[in-house]
Amino acid sequence: SNYEKGIRQPSIDTLKKLATIYDTTLESIVNFDSTPTELQQIPIYSIIKDKEDINSKENILGYTDLGREYIGKGDYFALYVVDDSMNNSRICEGDIVIVRKQSEVENGQIAVVLVKGEEATIKKYFISDNMVTLIPSSTNPIHSLRNIDTNITSVEVLGKVVEAKIKL
């Protein structure tokens, strides 16, 4: 914390260790990178009821910066978390999740999923044949897993959650 507050400066050996731990270069840690840092902002949505809502300006709460590690690696949007159904995965009410737009995710990954007639939800996603299982990760017992037959109800993956920005 003293480093972050500017009270103390890390030694070059400490910086080298940090670069190794975070799998980056010493130059990037001390900001000697000569390329300009360009921030890309992505919209934060409050509610998504339809895939078209991702392109609608009406549901935008604001904007957040996309981390440099994601720039050029896909299209992204952010979603405001409105419940505690994923709090065991450190995604809590009031947080903002960063989502890479993609229509498929691997079983067990956390995805933003749109079930026909409902608002988009954030859950662990599993698919087998025509059955989708959405699993919460919550300390709240009111949230339970849900099996959905895709022959009866359409289920669409809007994207994979890649990061949660926590509310302090």
Side-chain angles (χ1 to χ4, degrees):
S1 70
N2 285 339
Y3 295 156
E4 291 175 344
K5 294 176 186 174
I7 296 171
R8 185 170 174 224
Q9 296 295 319
S11 69
I12 193 72
D13 289 333
T14 300
L15 290 173
K16 286 178 183 177
K17 288 177 186 175
L18 289 171
T20 301
I21 290 169
Y22 292 109
D23 192 26
T24 189
T25 64
L26 180 60
E27 290 78 18
S28 67
I29 286 183
V30 293
N31 286 329
F32 285 115
D33 189 355
S34 61
T35 59
T37 303
E38 293 183 29
L39 294 179
Q40 179 180 339
Q41 292 205 316
I42 56 172
I44 304 168
Y45 294 99
S46 56
I47 296 173
I48 300 174
K49 292 185 179 181
D50 185 295
K51 188 173 183 177
E52 299 307 313
D53 285 346
I54 296 175
N55 300 317
S56 169
K57 294 184 189 256
E58 295 172 9
N59 292 325
I60 296 175
L61 287 175
Y63 293 86
T64 189
D65 293 331
L66 183 63
R68 287 190 339 178
E69 66 269 29
Y70 305 121
I71 295 175
K73 297 180 181 172
D75 292 326
Y76 295 83
F77 67 93
L79 185 62
Y80 183 76
V81 180
V82 295
D83 68 20
D84 63 355
S85 67
M86 293 300 291
N87 64 4
N88 268 344
S89 293
R90 298 184 348 163
I91 299 173
C92 301
E93 187 172 1
D95 291 350
I96 295 169
V97 292
I98 306 300
V99 183
R100 182 176 52 241
K101 292 180 186 178
Q102 57 189 67
S103 59
E104 294 180 4
V105 294
E106 293 179 20
N107 281 339
Q109 291 185 323
I110 299 174
V112 174
V113 181
L114 189 60
V115 178
K116 184 175 182 170
E118 301 176 15
E119 293 176 7
T121 186
I122 303 166
K123 299 287 183 290
K124 289 185 180 179
Y125 178 89
F126 293 85
I127 188 165
S128 179
D129 298 321
N130 294 322
M131 187 65 65
V132 167
T133 303
L134 301 178
I135 301 178
S137 176
S138 180
T139 56
N140 188 338
I142 69 165
H143 303 290
S144 58
L145 74 82
R146 193 169 160 202
N147 289 311
I148 303 164
D149 184 340
T150 58
N151 290 323
I152 299 170
T153 306
S154 72
V155 177
E156 187 173 9
V157 173
L158 299 179
K160 176 185 172 186
V161 175
V162 297
E163 182 179 322
K165 294 185 175 190
I166 64 170
K167 175 183 172 187
L168 296 178

